[in-house]
């Protein structure tokens, strides 16, 4: 079953002489439960693509459908709720809220919804992420790897339709990086979580079900 | 507590310095609004008490009231109290001849208590055969003298100053007879003073009376028609409140825009994990509520305490100075406090909301990256740094220049707050300047501290001069002058030859009346002759840029004459300085006046009926001020001559005419006005009284007048005004300095990473300083470039507001402009160095790693 469909997405920055085409007519789709890796050189437009899929950046042209809903046809509030419930974003630089502790950061999407935290799922996640002993630490008391695990927890807590990861290991050493990839794969297997992940590491990409290669803003394979 | 509020609170806690500065901003602005409104209501209370003390707090007064009307008043439901004063007539008789009319009023005990009688000497009358006389009527009666009036013979028991509440300030006051008869003057108090105009209208339509409302008092409780002074006060007040609002809104707004731009990334993260714009807005508003909840109450309390302290200090220092009425006491107007709270809250909410709205419009990624502030333009030329800049400040200058060009938003906040500071400071100073200008114009503050007035027979003139010599030698005296003011001369002038302004002011001079067309009539008027001591005269000459030799050696009959006066012009409702003549110089014939019988009465002698020897042809050159110590007493046309030249006027001196009018032997008297500038008015007055006491028997009258005490009312007003103005300027300066400090330190703190990066690639501390110097210059120049013209504009507005009621010249507050220009650079440099100094101390790597939250 198709969960994500990207139709003729283009994104341009600037005007006239200084115009940059970050994405040029990109189309593809992803099925439920699929683990897709997007690879491409630096500046090829892969991050822009991911952000557009996640509803945090706007395309210049084209549409994104998640569960057959046109993401950018939604009103700002609907879009925010879409981000909250349908998408989990993992950044290269974790982007945690520094004044909230580990549990609060992970449960942020739930708290925003005003929903009760499902403690069973939280505990399960905390265990999966090996963060049990760090529950009440603030982000600046954690190592880089731990911080990234928190951001993975935040992406997964809501069981979103789709998890988007932007070079989640880019900022980590190889041992920590491996752990993170394992976690993402586990969630894919265990929960049937659909995952779209950007990487420039061929070895990591090979662990995915499918690889989409981007060059100069176009899908080449 | 929801997660947004928690994030907000934690962020407030974590950025303690910024939070504190923001709260201080709110405190300052709330306290300023409270302070100003409290000061205004305290001042109003003070003016009200002063006016009540001087003029009485009655609402309306009816003269010539008969018994019926008095009964009507007493029975009217709107009236709370009526006090009657019996009009006893009052032709002054001497040796059975009527000399002049002075109103004599019989006061009941209650009336004497309720209406202030300004006793200067002696005591108040205790029975109906005792009387007090106004000292300024210069009648020559002393305490214990008998005075014969047509209502009887009285014993003088005291001398009074001006009786302000009475219709005639020269009223003689005695005690009301046991069986008084009409007419009376009825002083009326109302249950609701605010309805005084309606009450008076009703009375005037019901009975044949004409009421006089106590406008001097009513004005202070805000009950007045469309008077010019009120128009001025309202225009100025509106500008003042506008300035305060602008200042506090700017301060709070700045604090929040900084806070929001700091939190942009946080908003980005929250937004990317699904916060709705509404939730983010809520979080900003929550921040506003938190800051307001702390800042506004503290601000209100500190504003009130501040004014209380200020008033306390002034009262301690100057308490005695203000006499029984006392100085201002703290009067908190609760509606004003509520207004301050509401204004503060609205300002905070708007200030929080507007920058937040801007952030909401950005995409989540832009927020996280914080990239949108950098301007990317195709036209690279725009960002070229001039060679001169590069040469002068090198690479560092170029770097900061590029910073400005590409990142205008970041600097706009600093330039804007400096700009507003300059505008507010200069506007506040202009405001004060014009407030004082207009007050001075009406109040005529004197330059002397102690005045001694004496008169006596002509033969005593050398004695008067001897006494003046002794007084002037007192150690307390720093400057002195005397003037013989006995003389005046008549002149005749075709009415239509007066200046246009003068004729406009006295239109009846030209109008036709029962005597026919007056346009071609000749007006007889008098000009006073003031003979000041030669030293003072010489100073005056040099003030005017005239050399002594030029004056003393002149061969023609040229005299300097003050030819203008300040009048309240009904038509324009303004106080205006009006010149008698349009010309700078005119030829006159002065002559000695006199009366001649004609028909049933008498008329003054005309010029052609006077002997040639009693005439004197003069050329009068008009000037606009009297010698220094005499400034502020001008009234009419005055020829000023050195005492050594007084003899030239001997044949035209006009005393006989005055003799007939005032009823005393003026021709044989000499009047001396002696003015002293002294160090210690109290001590000097005592010393002078001791000296004059020894001369008491030689002269008809000697009076020592301590202006410091005597012009209490005036000085009080001016002092209150000064306090108000300087307090306002001080508060404005404080708020603007806080503002600039807040903006610059945050600006620098936000650039920690940039500085650290520059340091990590090898920029020395000296280089960093160079960059900062360039930035300071940029901030200063740019803010002055916009700030000065705008402040001039506001000064013009204030000027226009004032000229609605007052004929004041246009002036710019140059002193404050200089302070503003110097101050801008000083504040920017000091703040910048402080902020950079703090950043420099930091570990480069920590700063590099630091996230902007």
């Amino acid at each position: 079953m198709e969960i994500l469909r990207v139709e003729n997405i283009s994104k341009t920055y600037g005007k006239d002489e200084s115009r940059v085409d970050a994405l040029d007519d990109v189309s593809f789709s992803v099925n439920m439960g699929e683990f897709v890796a997007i690879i491409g050189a630096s500046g090829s437009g892969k991050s822009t693509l991911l952000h557009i899929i996640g509803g945090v950046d706007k395309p210049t042209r084209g549409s994104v459908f998640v569960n057959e809903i046109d993401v950018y046809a939604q009103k700002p509030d609907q879009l925010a709720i879409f981000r909250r419930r349908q998408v989990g974003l993992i950044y290269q630089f974790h982007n945690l809220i520094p004044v909230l502790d580990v549990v609060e950061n992970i449960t942020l999407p739930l708290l925003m919804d005003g929903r009760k935290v499902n403690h069973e799922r939280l505990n399960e996640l905390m265990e999966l992420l090996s963060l049990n002993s760090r529950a009440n630490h603030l982000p600046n008391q954690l190592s880089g790897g731990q911080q990234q695990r928190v951001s993975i927890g935040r992406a997964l807590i809501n069981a979103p339709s789709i998890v988007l990861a932007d070079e989640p290991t880019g900022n980590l050493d190889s041992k920590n990086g491996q752990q993170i990839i394992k976690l993402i794969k586990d969630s894919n297997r265990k929960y049937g979580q659909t995952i779209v992940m950007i990487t420039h590491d061929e070895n990591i990409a090979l662990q995915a079900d499918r690889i989409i290669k981007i060059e100069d803003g176009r899908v080449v394979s | 507590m929801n997660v947004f509020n928690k994030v907000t609170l934690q962020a407030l806690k974590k950025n303690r310095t910024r939070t504190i500065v923001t709260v201080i901003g709110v405190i300052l602005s709330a306290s300023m609004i409270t302070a100003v409104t409290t000061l205004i209501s305290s001042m109003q209370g003070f003016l009200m008490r002063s006016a009540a003390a001087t003029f009485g707090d009655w609402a309306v007064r009816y003269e010539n009231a008969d018994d019926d009307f008095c009964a009507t008043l007493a029975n009217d439901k709107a009236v709370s109290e009526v006090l009657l004063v019996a009009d006893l007539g009052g032709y002054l008789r001497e040796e059975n001849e009527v000399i002049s009319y002075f109103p004599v009023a019989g006061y009941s005990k209650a009336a004497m208590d309720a209406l202030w009688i300004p006793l200067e000497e002696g005591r108040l009358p205790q029975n109906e055969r005792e009387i007090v006389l106004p000292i300024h009527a210069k009648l020559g009666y002393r305490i214990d003298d008998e005075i014969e009036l047509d209502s009887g013979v009285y014993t003088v028991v005291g001398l009074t100053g001006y009786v302000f509440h009475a219709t005639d300030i020269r009223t003689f006051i005695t005690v009301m007879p046991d069986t008084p008869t009409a007419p009376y003057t009825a002083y009326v108090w109302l249950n609701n003073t605010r309805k005084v105009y309606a009450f008076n209208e009703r009375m005037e339509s019901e009975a044949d009376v004409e009421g006089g409302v106590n406008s001097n008092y009513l004005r202070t409780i805000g009950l007045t028609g469309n008077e010019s002074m009120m128009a001025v006060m309202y225009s100025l007040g509106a500008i003042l409140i506008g300035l305060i609002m602008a200042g506090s809104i700017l301060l709070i707004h700045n604090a929040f825009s900084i806070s929001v731009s700091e939190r942009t990334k946080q908003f980005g993260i929250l937004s990317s994990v699904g916060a709705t714009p509404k939730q983010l807005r809520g979080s900003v508003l929550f921040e506003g509520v938190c800051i307001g909840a702390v800042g506004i109450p503290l601000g209100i309390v500190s504003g009130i305490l501040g004014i209380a302290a200020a008033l306390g200090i002034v009262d301690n220092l100057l308490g005695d100075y203000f006499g029984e009425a006392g100085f201002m006491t703290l009067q908190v107007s609760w509606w004003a406090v509520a207004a301050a709270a509401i204004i503060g809250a609205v300002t905070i909410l708007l200030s929080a909301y507007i920058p937040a709205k801007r952030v909401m419009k950005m995409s989540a990624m832009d927020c996280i990256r914080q990239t949108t502030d950098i301007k990317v333009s195709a036209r690279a030329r725009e960002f070229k740094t001039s060679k001169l800049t590069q040469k002068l400040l090198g690479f560092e200058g170029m770097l900061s220049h590029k910073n400005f060009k590409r990142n205008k938003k970041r600097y706009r906040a600093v330039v804007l707050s400096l700009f507003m500071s300059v505008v507010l400071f200069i506007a506040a100073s202009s405001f004060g300047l014009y407030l004082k200008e207009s007050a001075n114009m009406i109040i005529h503050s004197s330059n002397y501290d102690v005045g001694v007035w004496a008169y006596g027979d002509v033969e005593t003139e050398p004695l008067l001069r001897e006494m003046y010599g002794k007084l002037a030698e007192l150690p307390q005296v720093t400057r002195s002058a005397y003037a013989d003011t006995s003389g005046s001369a008549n002149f005749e002038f075709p009415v239509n030859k007066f200046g246009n302004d003068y004729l406009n002011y006295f239109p009846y001079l030209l109008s036709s009346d029962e005597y026919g067309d007056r346009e071609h009539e000749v007006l007889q008027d008098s000009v006073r002759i003031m003979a000041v001591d030669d030293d003072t005269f010489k100073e005056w000459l040099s003030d005017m840029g005239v050399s002594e030799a030029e004056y003393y050696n002149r061969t023609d009959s040229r005299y300097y004459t003050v030819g203008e006066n300040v009048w309240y012009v009904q038509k324009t409702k303004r106080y205006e300085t009006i010149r008698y003549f349009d010309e700078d110089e005119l030829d006159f014939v002065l002559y000695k006046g006199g009366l001649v019988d004609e028909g049933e009465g008498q008329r003054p002698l005309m010029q052609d009926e006077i002997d040639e020897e009693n005439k004197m042809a003069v050329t009068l050159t008009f000037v606009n001020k009297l010698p220094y110590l005499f400034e502020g007493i001008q009234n009419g046309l005055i020829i000023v001559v050195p005492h050594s030249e007084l003899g030239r006027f001997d044949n035209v001196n006009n005393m006989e005419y005055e003799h007939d009018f005032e009823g005393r032997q003026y021709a044989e008297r000499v009047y001396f006005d002696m003015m002293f500038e002294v160090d210690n008015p109290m001590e000097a007055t005592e010393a002078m009284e001791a000296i004059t006491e020894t001369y008491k028997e030689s002269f008809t009258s000697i009076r020592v007048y301590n202006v410091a005490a005597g012009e209490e009312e005036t000085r009080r007003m001016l002092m209150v005004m000064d306090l108000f103005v300087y307090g306002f300027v001080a508060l404005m300066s404080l708020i603007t300095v806080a503002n600039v400090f807040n903006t610059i330190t945050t600006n620098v703190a936000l650039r920690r990473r940039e500085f650290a990066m520059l340091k990590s690639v090898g920029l020395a501390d000296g280089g960093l300083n160079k960059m900062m110097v360039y930035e300071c210059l940029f901030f200063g120049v740019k803010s002055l470039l916009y700030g000065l013209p705008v402040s001039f504009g506001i000064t013009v507005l204030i000027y226009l507001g004032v000229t609605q009621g007052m004929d004041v010249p246009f002036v710019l507050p140059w002193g404050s402009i200089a302070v503003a220009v110097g101050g801008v650079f000083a504040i920017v440099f000091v703040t910048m160095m402080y902020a950079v100094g703090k950043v420099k101390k930091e570990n480069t790597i920590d700063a590099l790693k630091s996230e902007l939250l």
Side-chain angles (χ1 to χ4, degrees), chain A residues 51 56-57 76-77 80-81 83-84 91 95-100 104 108 111-112 154, chain B residues 3-4 6-7 10 265-266 269-277 279 363-365 368:
Chain A
H51 294 144
V56 292
D57 203 356
D77 279 6
I81 290 169
R83 284 197 294 263
R84 192 187 297 167
Y91 299 91
N95 283 338
L96 302 176
I97 302 281
V99 296
L100 297 180
E104 286 165 337
L108 195 58
L111 296 172
M112 270 193 265
R154 184 175 69 190
Chain B
V3 66
F4 293 98
K6 178 160 186 185
V7 171
Q10 298 288 348
K265 183 171 183 182
Q266 197 186 72
I269 297 170
L270 288 168
S271 165
S272 77
V273 296
T276 62
Q279 285 171 321
S363 79
M365 265 338 276
I368 294 176

Side-chain angles (χ1 to χ4, degrees), chain B residues 360-377:
Chain B
M360 300 315 150
K361 279 194 188 145
M362 291 162 62
S363 79
M365 265 338 276
D366 285 339
C367 288
I368 294 176
R369 288 207 203 103
Q370 294 183 298
T371 50
T372 44
D373 282 351
I374 303 294
K375 191 177 175 191
V376 184
S377 167

